[in-house]
């Protein structure tokens, strides 16, 4: 029995709608890139801090662009370490002039200055900021050319609160190169504890993400 024309037309129309929705999503967000893409990020290894003043905590990571085109960072997701500890609360993300190192520490000053002038300085709005291809310098030991960062990210996280700790084991950085979108995951290992938490408990929190 042949399908009635109305039914056949409905099926064709539904297929066309699905295709158009797919094209619309592609045009809106662009294609998804494979893997972490051309950006790599620094790690502050196993770091911890006692936040007795309830100040925001800054996580500084350097950014290296191995590609040939600039990249634009759209946002960051913080991944907690679990094991009974909460994940840090993301407040904001901004860019800085980086000195090629990563760190975790308290943010001070009225506008949340960078954690350490040794690692980064200044504050640059992230929206629309291009991370250019990294320049290369000659390694003093191997003699080979290695890329170095010129810009970094400061992720401002909320304080853990009195008697509490949070931990972080990774960051997911969402960015695009042209119309291609990537999510790069970089492993981190850090902890912050509030007033009333002992150094021993801070060390335990650090150990929970450092193994």
């Amino acid at each position: 029995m042949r399908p009635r024309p109305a039914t056949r037309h409905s099926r064709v129309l539904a297929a066309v709608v699905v295709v158009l929705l797919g094209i619309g999503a592609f045009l809106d967000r662009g294609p998804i890139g494979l893997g972490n893409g051309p950006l790599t990020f620094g790690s502050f290894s196993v770091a911890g801090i006692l936040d007795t003043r309830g100040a925001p905590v800054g996580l500084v990571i350097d950014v290296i662009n191995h590609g040939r085109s600039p990249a634009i960072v759209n946002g960051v997701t913080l991944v907690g370490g679990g094991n009974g500890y909460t994940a840090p609360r993301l407040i904001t993300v901004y860019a800085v002039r980086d000195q090629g190192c990563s760190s975790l520490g308290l943010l001070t000053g009225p506008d949340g200055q960078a954690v350490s002038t040794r690692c980064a300085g200044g504050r640059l709005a992230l929206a629309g900021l291009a991370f250019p291809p990294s320049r290369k310098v000659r390694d003093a030991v191997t003699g080979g050319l290695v890329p170095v960062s010129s810009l970094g990210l400061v992720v401002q996280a909320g304080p853990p609160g009195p008697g509490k700790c949070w931990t972080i084991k990774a960051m997911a950085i969402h960015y695009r190169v042209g119309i291609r979108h990537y999510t790069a995951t970089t492993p981190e290992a850090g902890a912050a504890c509030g007033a009333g938490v002992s150094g021993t408990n801070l060390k335990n929190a650090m150990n929970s993400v450092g193994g």
Side-chain angles (χ1 to χ4, degrees), residues 8 19 38 45-46 64 73 76 94 110 114 123 145 148 167 179 191 204:
R8 184 165 56 244
V19 171
S45 187
V46 182
I64 294 180
V73 175
V76 174
Y94 55 90
R123 179 168 179 161
L145 292 175
V148 295
T167 61
I179 63 170
N204 290 338

Side-chain angles (χ1 to χ4, degrees), residues 77-160:
T77 300
L78 302 180
V79 182
N83 296 314
Y85 298 100
T86 61
R89 176 176 58 89
L90 178 64
I91 297 177
T92 189
V93 184
Y94 55 90
V96 288
R97 299 293 179 187
D98 185 67
Q99 303 298 322
C101 60
S102 301
S103 66
L104 180 152
L106 298 180
L107 292 172
T108 59
D111 59 347
Q113 296 296 321
V115 180
S116 170
T117 55
R118 177 179 60 86
C119 276
R123 179 168 179 161
L124 305 172
L126 195 60
L129 178 67
F131 286 72
S134 296
R135 64 186 181 89
K136 294 184 177 181
V137 299
R138 195 164 299 280
D139 188 274
V141 178
T142 65
L145 292 175
V146 294
V148 295
S149 63
S150 59
L151 291 174
L153 292 175
V154 173
V155 178
Q156 184 173 331

Side-chain angles (χ1 to χ4, degrees), residues 6-202:
T7 302
R8 184 165 56 244
H9 291 161
S10 297
R11 290 175 179 173
V12 172
L13 180 60
V16 170
V17 170
V18 170
V19 171
L20 291 177
L21 288 175
I23 294 174
F26 177 88
L27 294 176
D28 180 52
R29 299 190 62 182
I32 304 300
L34 298 176
N36 282 351
L39 296 190
T40 58
F41 305 89
S43 172
F44 41 77
S45 187
V46 182
I49 190 165
L50 286 174
D51 186 3
T52 59
R53 295 179 296 166
V57 180
L59 304 96
V60 181
I61 56 172
D62 58 296
V63 181
I64 294 180
N65 185 350
H66 298 271
R68 298 181 178 180
S69 301
I72 294 178
V73 175
N74 300 317
V76 174
T77 300
L78 302 180
V79 182
N83 296 314
Y85 298 100
T86 61
R89 176 176 58 89
L90 178 64
I91 297 177
T92 189
V93 184
Y94 55 90
V96 288
R97 299 293 179 187
D98 185 67
Q99 303 298 322
C101 60
S102 301
S103 66
L104 180 152
L106 298 180
L107 292 172
T108 59
D111 59 347
Q113 296 296 321
V115 180
S116 170
T117 55
R118 177 179 60 86
C119 276
R123 179 168 179 161
L124 305 172
L126 195 60
L129 178 67
F131 286 72
S134 296
R135 64 186 181 89
K136 294 184 177 181
V137 299
R138 195 164 299 280
D139 188 274
V141 178
T142 65
L145 292 175
V146 294
V148 295
S149 63
S150 59
L151 291 174
L153 292 175
V154 173
V155 178
Q156 184 173 331
K164 299 179 181 179
C165 299
W166 57 245
T167 61
I168 181 171
K169 67 177 181 181
M171 291 188 195
I173 294 90
H174 314 288
Y175 70 96
R176 64 179 176 87
V177 178
I179 63 170
R180 192 170 297 275
H181 291 249
Y182 297 89
T183 294
T185 301
T186 175
E188 306 290 348
C193 296
V197 177
S198 67
T200 299
N201 288 337
L202 172 62

